[in-house]
Amino acid sequence: MAEKLKITLVKSPIGAIPKHRATVKALGLRKLHKTVEKPDNPSVRGMIQAVKHLVKVEEV
């Protein structure tokens, strides 16, 4: 596993179910095409798995 993950919001969560919108917000993503770096751990991986259709992930 990588040390950190670069997570970019590539699709709007407006039409997504409320649980997915909350997950995107919890990841720290507010606007389209903005990127955050998070540690690579099972909890962050699980959040990414839930909204994988809305985000792009790169290992750093």
Side-chain angles (χ1 to χ4, degrees), residues 5-47:
L5 296 172
K6 232 183 204 182
I7 309 163
T8 305
L9 186 62
V10 295
K11 188 168 187 282
S12 175
I14 289 174
I17 63 173
K19 187 175 180 181
H20 290 177
R21 281 198 300 260
T23 302
V24 168
K25 189 174 180 182
L27 283 169
L29 297 166
R30 301 286 186 256
K31 295 183 177 183
L32 279 179
H33 307 294
K34 296 298 177 183
T35 303
V36 295
E37 282 195 10
K38 294 287 181 185
D40 189 2
N41 58 45
S43 63
V44 172
R45 289 273 182 174
M47 293 169 80

